Amino acid sequence: MMSKFAYGLKRIINIFESTPLVYSIVFLFAWIFLRIFLEGQFEFFHSIGLIPFSYRSIIMYFIHFPMFYLSLFQLITIIISVISRVPIKTVIKSTSCGMILLLLVPILDAVLGHGYLITYPLRLEKYFISFLNPLVTLSDIGVSSGQRIVIVLIVILVGIYMAVKTSNIFKSILTAALVLLCIIIFGGLTTVIAGNRPELLYISGGLLYTDSQKFAIIYGILFIITFFISLYMFDPKTFRRLIISMRVERMAFYGGTGLFGLVLAGHMKANLYVHGIFDFFGIICIFLSLGFAFWALQILNDFFDRTGDTISRARNPLLDNIEPRYYAVFGFSVAVIALLLAATLNYTAFLIMITYLLIGVIYSMPPVRLKRFPFISTFVIAIAVILSMGMGFTIYFHEKALSYIPGSVILPTLIGVTLGFVAKDLNDIESDKKTGVITIPVLLSMKNQILCRLFMAIILSFSFVIYSFFNNEVLPGALIAGIITLIYTLFAKRISESVYFLLLYSFGIYYLFILIH
């Protein structure tokens, strides 16, 4: 009898594991959003969308709750895969089908208690001590009966899955216990962070204004961490190619520009509030959203730069035999992460992020492909820099963010970046010639290599000096940066983009210091 039961379980699991991975991911999202819908309708609120439609409702529906479920799902699959040594791809296929249990929570709560006001546990002692005790109710601290029943079912199914896959009772019990512990800790994490007094921490105010934004960023960061761990476990070699291909200096530039805007806006508003952990998380949110957005656009650009990159030996994973569909899906995922982080900040930041990504599309994608044209290409980059500043300004000026960036900052930035970012093309002269990309270094090198260096040195130096035309206080630093750039461009044997970015970071910090003092 038991052998027939075990055989039946194996057949069911084999059916799940034979499902294409993309189907499993679609089902996973289906269970999550159906759960959120049912939770709004059957639980305490009895309304579609959880609460009346608002920005806060959107955060809860599309970011906060999905990030909670997805990050916990990824953590559970990581634990199961590590202990069972079953490839994480295979584990995802089975566990994503098992996530249908999420739908039972609001249904059980509606039957057992006409719906509950589900929140994170308000007090930890009773939550941790009595979670498995069916004689103690936890609804008074925000934990419903449906949640507890379904969590126990999930743990039992995890144990059964491990018994089938490993035939090892110890591993089955260990994995089930670890999954139970992870779920309980995950559920109580926000209260742990609040020092067991969530009502004192998750109040309105700060860079992330509402409690929903604060919850969203906690589980958003956990999602990013578990997402990259899962990717590494999925294919370590391919993951290393992705990491090596990152243009960290450019990601840091755009993220840093967003923080530049935040500090300047806070100074203008005389209210630079960075007081607690969630203000720190808000800073991370600005930085990462812009950094990931650039990474996504870099991936897009790599698809159309393959021919030229074979000559310039750029860090293009497509030249290192990475599977194009995998790279495209990863790029899309990174873009979605950037959008979700921006939306967590505020809806204006979300709109700016959409614009930022669309500008990157017309920059890289043929037939428009604006990167082919001198000065137009770098002017597009200058606009992206202004949008990055605007991300920081949205915290204080909301939908008027771009209108409040001083003209004395916008104009020299548009000119300086348009001129200065021609440096990115210095190492790509031969590849740009072959692919028909017209850049200033290409035009100058056609005439004379020495003149090319001289003109480029002058242009790049002037990109710093231009700031002193709009603010004479910045002149000493602009001259120093300009002279160093001039000397380096003229005499360096091999131009390094990192040197230019280091100068740019240093000058940006100096410029910001002048503006706020």
Side-chain angles (χ1 to χ4, degrees):
M1 184 70 180
M2 287 299 294
S3 61
K4 288 183 178 180
F5 179 70
Y7 177 73
L9 286 176
K10 286 183 179 180
R11 284 196 64 186
I12 293 171
I13 292 173
N14 288 337
I15 291 171
F16 291 158
E17 292 178 349
S18 64
T19 304
L21 182 61
V22 66
Y23 293 2
S24 300
I25 293 172
V26 169
F27 280 124
L28 174 62
F29 279 93
W31 307 142
I32 288 173
F33 282 102
L34 286 172
R35 160 68 187 272
I36 297 170
F37 179 87
L38 293 176
E39 194 164 293
Q41 189 60 40
F42 289 168
E43 296 286 9
F44 176 83
F45 296 109
H46 299 296
S47 64
I48 297 170
L50 300 169
I51 60 175
F53 186 82
S54 65
Y55 169 66
R56 185 166 173 246
S57 176
I58 291 173
I59 291 292
M60 292 171 67
Y61 206 98
F62 293 104
I63 304 178
H64 169 199
F65 287 124
M67 290 300 100
F68 173 85
Y69 294 126
L70 287 170
S71 54
L72 180 55
F73 171 79
Q74 289 178 152
L75 181 58
I76 291 173
T77 58
I78 289 168
I79 292 171
I80 294 173
S81 179
V82 168
I83 297 176
S84 68
R85 297 187 181 275
V86 175
I88 195 167
K89 177 180 178 180
T90 304
V91 174
I92 288 172
K93 291 180 179 181
S94 294
T95 50
S96 62
C97 293
M99 287 285 280
I100 192 174
L101 290 174
L102 288 178
L103 305 186
L104 288 180
V105 175
I107 295 172
L108 288 172
D109 286 341
V111 172
L112 298 174
H114 307 293
Y116 292 87
L117 177 57
I118 296 179
T119 182
Y120 296 109
L122 301 176
R123 291 296 179 265
L124 294 173
E125 297 88 345
K126 188 176 181 181
Y127 172 68
F128 284 126
I129 293 172
S130 303
F131 188 86
L132 293 178
N133 187 346
L135 301 178
V136 178
T137 179
L138 300 181
S139 60
D140 57 322
I141 61 168
V143 182
S144 75
S145 301
Q147 285 179 308
R148 298 166 74 184
I149 292 170
V150 168
I151 288 170
V152 170
L153 285 175
I154 290 172
V155 171
I156 292 172
L157 288 177
V158 166
I160 293 172
Y161 175 82
M162 289 294 293
V164 171
K165 299 300 290 187
T166 66
S167 300
N168 187 311
I169 297 300
F170 173 75
K171 286 186 176 181
S172 301
I173 296 173
L174 174 63
T175 307
L178 284 176
V179 167
L180 175 62
L181 185 63
C182 283
I183 293 173
I184 292 175
I185 291 175
F186 237 67
L189 183 60
T190 56
T191 310
V192 172
I193 292 173
N196 209 22
R197 289 291 184 271
E199 69 276 7
L200 300 179
L201 183 62
Y202 301 103
I203 55 177
S204 297
L207 301 185
L208 301 172
Y209 190 77
T210 68
D211 57 349
S212 296
Q213 289 168 277
K214 294 176 174 69
F215 295 145
I217 194 61
I218 289 172
Y219 291 107
I221 290 174
L222 287 171
F223 168 76
I224 292 171
I225 293 171
T226 53
F227 175 70
F228 280 100
I229 293 174
S230 298
L231 276 181
Y232 173 77
M233 294 176 64
F234 191 90
D235 187 342
K237 186 177 180 181
T238 300
F239 182 79
R240 282 191 287 269
R241 290 172 182 163
L242 291 174
I243 298 303
I244 292 171
S245 71
M246 291 172 65
R247 277 69 158 180
V248 177
E249 62 283 349
R250 296 198 194 187
M251 293 172 66
F253 169 74
Y254 288 104
T257 304
L259 300 186
F260 179 101
L262 173 68
V263 175
L264 180 57
H267 172 73
M268 291 169 60
K269 200 77 171 180
N271 186 26
L272 183 59
Y273 40 71
V274 181
H275 300 138
I277 186 172
F278 288 106
D279 292 333
F280 176 69
F281 281 165
I283 290 171
I284 292 175
C285 197
I286 294 171
F287 187 86
L288 288 182
S289 63
L290 289 163
F292 279 128
F294 172 79
W295 195 4
L297 293 174
Q298 167 212 313
I299 291 170
L300 175 69
N301 189 67
D302 283 344
F303 276 92
F304 303 107
D305 274 357
R306 277 179 286 188
T307 301
D309 287 345
T310 57
I311 300 172
S312 62
R313 291 175 292 178
R315 295 173 292 180
N316 189 334
L318 293 169
L319 303 180
D320 195 22
N321 298 319
I322 197 170
E323 209 278 310
R325 186 173 64 175
Y326 177 98
Y327 198 41
V329 171
F330 175 75
F332 177 78
S333 302
V334 171
V336 170
I337 291 173
L339 286 167
L340 291 176
L341 288 171
T344 300
L345 284 171
N346 52 70
Y347 78 93
T348 311
F350 177 71
L351 297 178
I352 285 179
M353 182 54 65
I354 290 176
T355 307
Y356 181 98
L357 292 170
L358 291 176
I359 285 176
V361 169
I362 65 173
Y363 176 85
S364 298
M365 188 178 291
V368 178
R369 197 161 159 77
L370 294 180
K371 72 170 293 181
R372 295 179 296 177
F373 308 106
F375 289 125
I376 293 177
S377 62
T378 49
F379 182 73
V380 171
I381 293 174
I383 293 174
V385 171
I386 299 300
L387 290 173
S388 300
M389 279 188 205
M391 287 283 286
F393 268 74
T394 62
I395 300 296
Y396 296 93
F397 298 105
H398 310 291
E399 67 275 3
K400 296 289 185 180
L402 297 179
S403 301
Y404 274 90
I405 302 177
S408 58
V409 172
I410 289 179
L411 291 175
T413 299
L414 288 175
I415 299 170
V417 172
T418 300
L419 295 176
F421 264 69
V422 298
K424 69 182 179 61
D425 301 316
L426 279 171
N427 288 327
D428 299 329
I429 293 175
E430 294 305 318
S431 62
D432 286 340
K433 285 180 181 178
K434 182 175 180 178
T435 56
V437 176
I438 304 170
T439 64
I440 297 303
V442 167
L443 293 174
L444 292 174
S445 66
M446 287 178 178
K447 297 179 180 180
N448 187 294
Q449 290 287 348
I450 297 176
L451 283 177
C452 174
R453 280 282 186 121
L454 177 60
F455 280 117
M456 287 300 302
I458 294 171
I459 290 172
L460 298 181
S461 299
F462 186 72
S463 69
F464 291 107
V465 175
I466 188 66
Y467 283 88
S468 64
F469 293 2
F470 296 85
N471 185 341
N472 56 17
E473 293 182 26
V474 82
L475 179 60
L479 285 175
I480 293 172
I483 291 170
I484 293 174
T485 301
L486 183 75
I487 294 172
Y488 178 76
T489 307
L490 283 175
F491 298 107
K493 291 183 178 179
R494 168 90 180 161
I495 298 293
S496 172
E497 188 178 90
S498 298
V499 174
Y500 289 121
F501 273 104
L502 181 61
L503 284 166
L504 193 55
Y505 302 150
S506 302
F507 179 75
I509 295 170
Y510 167 78
Y511 182 45
L512 180 60
F513 180 81
I514 295 295
L515 289 174
I516 65 177
H517 285 82

